[in-house]
Amino acid sequence: MKFIDEYRQSDLAHKLAEEIARLTDQPLKLMEVCGGHTHTIFKYGIEDLLPPNIEMIHGPGCPVCVIPLGRVDDSISIAFQPNIIFTTFGDMMRVPGSKTNLLNAKAAGADVRMIYSPLDALKIAKKNPDRHVVFLALGFETTAPSTAMTVLQATKDRVENFSVFCNHIMIVPALLGLLDSPDLKLDGFLGPGHVSTVIGTRPYEFVAKEYGKPLVVSGFEPLDVLQSVHKIVKQIIEGRAEVENQYGRAVARDGNPKALRAIFEVFEARDYFEWRGLGSIARSGMKLNRKYAAFDAELKFAVPGLRIADPKACQCGEILKGVKKPWECKVFGTACTPETPIGSCMVSSEGACAAYYNFGRLSKVAERSGMNSAVARG
Amino acid sequence: MAEKFTPSPLFERVERARRRRRKIKETHITLAHGSGGYSMHELVEGLFLEYFKNPILELLEDQAVFEVERGRLAFTTDSFVVDPVFFPGGDIGRLAINGTVNDLAMSGARPLYLSAGFIIEEGLAIEDLKRILRSMREAAEEAGVQIITGDTKVVEKGSADKIFINTSGIGVIESDARISAARACAGDKVILSGAIGDHGTTIMVARGELELETDIESDTAPLGFLVEDMLKEAARVESIDAIRSLRDPTRGGVATTLNEIALSSEVCIQIYEDRIPVREEVRGACEILGLDPLYVANEGKLVAIVAAEVAEPLVRRMKENPQGRDACIIGEVKREPQGIVAMVTGFGGTRIVDMLVGEQLPRIC
């Protein structure tokens, strides 16, 4: 496939991996912040290629994984109110709330629909003028512009039976939270790709300047990831800490001004927003500002709005911070599986636990049956 | 006190009218078509019989009676509820025939007879029903089977979605083949009969939610003759026993089918990503939809686990059959780790290919 296969060439990958191994044998912990990278790393078996001294830590950049239980409960409560059509992305359907999830709510009679774009929700609202359509918005700055554009469109078309339950979050406060976390020791960051197409690379400059950690904004194909790892390792051994842009074909230093304008027009920062596993982070969430308050589902519907603690057995928090590996969690693969997830890291294919469960068990399984993955590989 | 019964000339006219071949006049299915009365007879005789004509069905008894051939019988059933009913490359009717024919064929059986049960939503256009019946007839002819018994129910609007079809089938296993998902052994090879993901991707695109336009068509096709060729070739080269397992990877795709075999046989199945044929358009659509072709349904493909010695000649023979044109060896069976399907990625890494969980949900970013 054109423009895709070029970034998946195996021979180039092996050369890059050798190059990385030649650079250093010092143990390094690198975090990929974005769930899309986690997915790529597992899907293509990139950890098999990297030298053993380089450890990838899977960060909190999966928007579905950081949605706290209380917000899921609120969504379900809205979905069950009379005359509501509740719309959201497919990944959100199986995310567990404190009692149930949206998929079960749908089966129990709530009108919950999966959509691919917020504009689809607006279409549904126009088609059903006698019902109220709520869109559960979530994601980083990546998806926030499309929610903003939808709200602007709804304003323009004077659609009154449409509102947004906003759970958009911001990447920089999350990075700050990680950098300030005392139990975290990282040597460098693989910067998010899609988010950066919107916000650019400038907002990360504090990571290099103030915290002295290299950050390389990376694309999502396997060669992108390997090249970015190479760039980070090179910075470390050369004693540099800079923000580099490996994903130049999509990311500009100043991002996408049009998308940013839409975000600033429609949203404002919340004082606090709770992240699953990471706790409350100041000014890390977005909500609709006063001008667009008419579209704010939180003002329209009474929701429980409770803060609900994560299940005790679940260690999503430690896993999101990279302090623990998924298989070190007691419920991983026993009580918590992609079929019956306890923690949200097990739900989305971008969640570290689901990625390990689906793609990463081979070396673990092989170890248990007394062979290494090289043998399993034939 | 017996009264004399005088025949009237009117009787003759009534009699003639009753014997007349019934023709369906309505444009849409109504609840009356499921009532058991005149309208239903019109439907059965005017439509179903017309399309599925064969000596056993024509008797219109409550059951089909036929002679049993020598050998073991295979028996299977499947229901079809696809949405949309019509899609590029086929429709629910063709699917209902091929699906059951293929389930029979995967035992090494020659499919013989099918039943067809219809649950129709009130309001279905008779033209649409005719189109479905026509393609069922064509598919049955292609597969060499006859529809010899059937049933129709009509339900109120909203109680079903247009039309649901159940087909059951009987086939005869004429050879000594012992085909089973539990018979894969270390050293065996994995054969795939062609490119994967066509059917599922077609349906996703045909739903129109994504406003994608592609030329992808469903691969729905009968596999009975391909299996017959394979059994003959295996017997010629080695023994019919060399064919261990046969499955058609429908819902859940090749990944799920291989997992079923790995679990039943307590073996590891290792496949190679770069050997698995996927059409360019399907790869593109899956990339956009966030799907993995390995998990996408096929309706005209089979996966075979065969003894290593027969693998090459089998693939050569399969390539001569239109349903096996792109057949290839995609992997092999290993002893351990048991119950696991592993894939060497095109990128050189190795990963587990697990069973599908829930629906294959598109990713959001």
Side-chain angles (χ1 to χ4, degrees), chain A residues 172-186:
Chain A
V172 169
L175 271 177
L176 257 173
L178 284 170
L179 285 163
D180 288 336
S181 171
D183 49 358
L184 199 61
K185 289 205 166 54
L186 294 172

Side-chain angles (χ1 to χ4, degrees), chain A residues 1-9 44 221-223 249, chain B residues 283-284 287:
Chain A
M1 212 175 339
K2 242 189 143 138
F3 308 124
I4 296 258
D5 290 341
E6 290 88 332
Y7 300 100
R8 294 181 185 171
Q9 294 173 45
Y44 295 94
E221 294 302 330
L223 276 183
R249 64 184 188 276
Chain B
R283 272 183 70 196
E287 198 70 41

Side-chain angles (χ1 to χ4, degrees), chain B residues 140-194:
Chain B
E141 272 167 18
E142 277 169 41
V145 295
Q146 291 185 324
I147 298 158
I148 55 169
T149 185
D151 175 57
T152 312
K153 297 283 185 314
V154 178
V155 297
E156 302 93 322
K157 221 171 181 42
S159 296
D161 189 6
K162 295 182 194 74
I163 183 168
F164 299 153
I165 304 177
N166 170 277
T167 50
S168 296
I170 286 184
V172 60
I173 305 173
E174 288 152 334
S175 66
D176 306 325
R178 295 182 300 130
I179 297 167
S180 151
R183 279 192 61 227
C185 318
D188 288 351
K189 297 284 180 195
V190 184
I191 295 177
L192 178 64
S193 69

Side-chain angles (χ1 to χ4, degrees), chain A residues 10-322:
Chain A
S10 161
D11 47 338
L12 280 180
H14 283 275
K15 268 188 215 144
L16 255 172
E18 281 165 28
E19 195 64 32
I20 294 168
R22 237 197 318 274
L23 283 177
T24 181
D25 51 10
Q26 131 196 24
L28 293 175
K29 282 187 177 186
L30 311 181
M31 175 179 275
E32 86 273 5
V33 181
C34 177
H37 290 143
T38 309
H39 188 80
T40 300
I41 288 170
F42 283 100
K43 187 169 174 198
Y44 295 94
I46 288 178
E47 285 188 324
D48 284 354
L49 296 181
L50 287 174
N53 56 312
I54 306 232
E55 189 185 347
M56 297 307 294
I57 308 281
H58 317 298
C62 160
V64 168
C65 301
V66 294
I67 289 280
L69 289 175
R71 298 294 281 188
V72 180
D73 287 358
D74 291 350
S75 309
I76 293 168
S77 142
I78 295 176
F80 270 120
Q81 295 190 23
N83 216 24
I84 293 291
I85 300 175
F86 194 86
T87 59
T88 188
F89 298 128
D91 293 44
M92 202 49 219
M93 298 293 285
R94 291 189 305 117
V95 176
S98 67
K99 288 190 191 71
T100 181
N101 60 25
L102 282 164
L103 200 63
N104 288 330
K106 178 177 160 76
D111 191 348
V112 181
R113 303 187 192 176
M114 270 191 271
I115 53 171
Y116 294 96
S117 145
L119 282 169
D120 292 342
L122 193 59
K123 249 188 240 164
I124 295 173
K126 287 179 184 167
K127 253 192 227 160
N128 298 275
D130 50 336
R131 299 182 64 188
H132 189 88
V133 175
V134 178
F135 170 60
L136 167 62
L138 81 163
F140 288 93
E141 288 92 336
T142 329
T143 49
S146 58
T147 305
M149 293 306 288
T150 306
V151 169
L152 293 173
Q153 189 68 40
T155 311
K156 200 173 143 211
D157 300 346
R158 297 170 198 274
V159 181
E160 285 172 1
N161 60 328
F162 172 75
S163 62
V164 174
F165 182 52
C166 184
N167 291 280
H168 283 300
I169 43 182
M170 291 178 260
I171 192 75
V172 169
L175 271 177
L176 257 173
L178 284 170
L179 285 163
D180 288 336
S181 171
D183 49 358
L184 199 61
K185 289 205 166 54
L186 294 172
D187 300 295
F189 289 93
L190 208 67
H194 291 151
V195 172
S196 309
T197 59
V198 176
I199 66 171
T201 61
R202 211 191 279 271
Y204 307 118
E205 282 166 9
F206 76 95
V207 177
K209 280 198 190 119
E210 289 166 36
Y211 291 84
K213 306 284 183 199
L215 184 146
V216 176
V217 169
S218 170
F220 291 90
E221 294 302 330
L223 276 183
D224 290 326
V225 171
L226 275 174
Q227 195 190 10
S228 302
V229 170
H230 182 259
K231 280 176 179 291
I232 299 172
V233 175
K234 202 147 180 271
Q235 283 198 38
I236 293 170
I237 57 161
E238 288 170 5
R240 290 181 292 133
E242 293 163 15
V243 172
E244 282 184 271
N245 183 4
Q246 183 276 338
Y247 202 24
R249 64 184 188 276
V251 173
R253 185 166 181 233
D254 291 317
N256 177 341
K258 212 170 163 187
L260 286 171
R261 263 202 306 278
I263 292 182
F264 290 130
E265 168 66 22
V266 174
F267 298 114
E268 65 185 26
R270 295 171 192 265
D271 291 339
Y272 284 97
F273 192 73
E274 195 186 333
W275 295 51
R276 177 157 196 172
L278 302 179
S280 204
I281 302 179
R283 302 189 72 75
S284 65
M286 300 180 211
K287 67 172 184 177
L288 292 153
N289 62 27
R290 202 173 296 165
K291 193 170 162 193
Y292 296 95
F295 295 103
D296 192 343
E298 278 170 270
L299 300 176
K300 268 197 165 70
F301 301 98
V303 292
L306 296 176
R307 276 190 68 175
I308 293 164
D310 292 337
K312 269 204 189 104
C314 169
Q315 297 186 303
C316 277
E318 279 84 354
I319 288 157
L320 287 174
K321 281 188 278 187

Side-chain angles (χ1 to χ4, degrees), chain A residues 5 43 91 349-350 376-377, chain B residues 270 283 350-351 362-363 365:
Chain A
D5 290 341
K43 187 169 174 198
D91 293 44
S349 61
E350 297 184 357
R377 223 177 297 154
Chain B
Q270 175 155 316
R283 272 183 70 196
T350 310
R351 68 163 162 106
R363 306 200 324 276
C365 79

